Amino acid sequence: MKHRVATLTLLLPELSRVEKTPQLAQWLARGDRLPDAKPGREALLRESFEFIGTSLPVAALTRSLDASDAAGAMWLRADPAYAMADAITGRLMACGEIGLSKAESNELARALRPLFGDAGFPLEATLPTRWYLRCPPGARLPQFAAPTSVLGDDLMRHLPTGDNDRQWRHLFNEAQVVLHNHPVNALRTQRGAVPANTVWFWGAGKLPEWVRAPYTRVSSDADVTIALAKLAKIPVVERAIALSEPTAKEAVLIDAAAVPDLGTAKYKIVELRFASGERVRYKSWHCIRFWRRART
């Protein structure tokens, strides 16, 4: 869809987290409420970028930023993670961002490579926060849960389910054994750092052959959004540049963890898309709807 006037689209967290922001409160009060969409980050991105596929291939998208070999292969994230056992079960407490150094990451990955290599899934510890499995053509993969939906919860409720899930549950368990006994984790525990005592599989998929979106520039700190914008050949810019005075027919997308200050930038239309599913369209002339008072 091509925009005829300067339009700003904001991808925002759940409405309950940001609804008291003064500028947002006015947009919510005076703008037009649109039908709700499916909640979740994936729904936000699928609404904002067009590509073939039924799911968001996070692993392939982040791989396209981390290396030059993402195209043509199936990728799966196998991120280093920390699970804590309690009296009943184990809980995923952190994933990816657990403070591993590059050397620690390489040592742990070296110990795991025989396990995954023998199964036909070579492991690459591309970054200390992001590990990848390259899947062979025709690999049968079950359904994997994104870590954001698992953190703090019972791991057993979120293990792989579906096609060939027994193999992946076995790999999950064996990886825990390898990591539990690794000297790197013993040293981390001694100095009070959390151990990388498990891996978490998620984000399976292939890199889209094409991505389309109606934006002239994109600003985001989220790697998946950045990867989609680059595949769509849309400039990825800093927030200040994205919010500079728009020209006619310009369409800007900002993926933000909080409502940004627009400064003096004038947009004819502001589209608000919340991770909780709410959708609002605010047009510049809606400012005269003074009888619609913002919630305090």
Side-chain angles (χ1 to χ4, degrees):
M1 179 183 67
K2 291 185 178 181
H3 296 279
R4 297 180 180 179
V5 296
T7 302
L8 173 65
T9 300
L10 293 178
L11 306 188
L12 297 166
E14 292 79 4
L15 177 58
S16 61
R17 290 177 52 192
V18 294
E19 62 184 340
K20 293 183 179 180
T21 307
Q23 176 66 74
L24 182 60
Q26 179 171 316
W27 288 336
L28 291 172
R30 300 184 181 181
D32 292 329
R33 181 70 179 264
L34 305 178
D36 288 356
K38 183 179 178 180
R41 280 282 300 173
E42 181 168 339
L44 279 178
L45 294 175
R46 290 306 303 253
E47 183 179 357
S48 304
F49 296 91
E50 180 187 358
F51 55 90
I52 294 175
T54 58
S55 62
L56 188 66
V58 172
L61 289 167
T62 57
R63 182 73 183 183
S64 71
L65 299 179
D66 298 340
S68 59
D69 59 356
M74 174 80 75
W75 295 95
L76 176 67
R77 291 273 287 271
D79 292 343
Y82 167 57
M84 182 177 67
D86 59 23
I88 301 175
T89 185
R91 300 183 185 278
L92 189 70
M93 305 306 294
C95 183
E97 301 284 352
I98 58 175
L100 287 180
S101 68
K102 184 67 174 177
E104 289 174 328
S105 174
N106 290 340
E107 285 297 315
L108 293 171
R110 184 178 295 113
L112 288 170
R113 284 197 180 97
L115 170 67
F116 291 110
D118 290 347
F121 302 94
L123 172 68
E124 297 186 33
T126 311
L127 297 175
T129 56
R130 292 206 282 255
W131 293 358
Y132 295 91
L133 297 177
R134 184 193 293 265
C135 306
R140 295 166 53 210
L141 299 180
Q143 295 294 316
F144 301 103
T148 52
S149 65
V150 185
L151 289 174
D153 201 1
D154 182 350
L155 280 175
M156 300 304 295
R157 297 180 54 201
H158 302 279
L159 292 181
T161 58
D163 198 13
N164 206 24
D165 59 3
R166 291 183 64 182
Q167 179 187 24
W168 288 95
R169 290 182 180 223
H170 171 75
L171 289 171
F172 176 78
N173 291 331
E174 289 300 309
Q176 285 186 313
V177 173
V178 172
L179 293 172
H180 177 75
N181 296 318
H182 200 284
V184 165
N185 279 326
L187 290 173
R188 288 180 62 83
T189 301
Q190 287 176 13
R191 68 172 188 265
V194 298
N197 58 7
T198 190
V199 296
W200 194 254
F201 306 126
W202 70 291
K206 293 183 178 180
L207 195 69
E209 294 183 2
W210 54 264
V211 177
R212 288 195 285 262
Y215 312 111
T216 54
R217 49 187 171 178
V218 170
S219 176
S220 177
D221 294 327
D223 287 335
V224 172
T225 307
I226 292 170
L228 287 168
K230 289 187 173 182
L231 288 171
K233 296 180 171 55
I234 300 170
V236 179
V237 300
E238 295 180 357
R239 183 70 51 82
I241 297 175
L243 288 174
S244 60
E245 193 67 24
T247 60
K249 300 183 181 180
E250 187 156 30
V252 176
L253 175 74
I254 295 180
D255 184 8
V259 182
D261 181 1
L262 299 189
T264 59
K266 304 296 183 182
Y267 289 91
K268 294 293 185 181
I269 298 175
V270 178
E271 294 267 359
L272 306 174
R273 299 175 182 174
F274 298 94
S276 45
E278 298 86 357
R279 300 292 184 266
V280 174
R281 179 179 294 127
Y282 179 85
K283 298 181 179 180
S284 56
W285 67 266
H286 287 166
C287 64
I288 67 173
R289 291 173 164 176
F290 54 87
W291 60 89
R292 293 190 179 185
R293 296 187 177 182
R295 295 181 182 179
T296 58

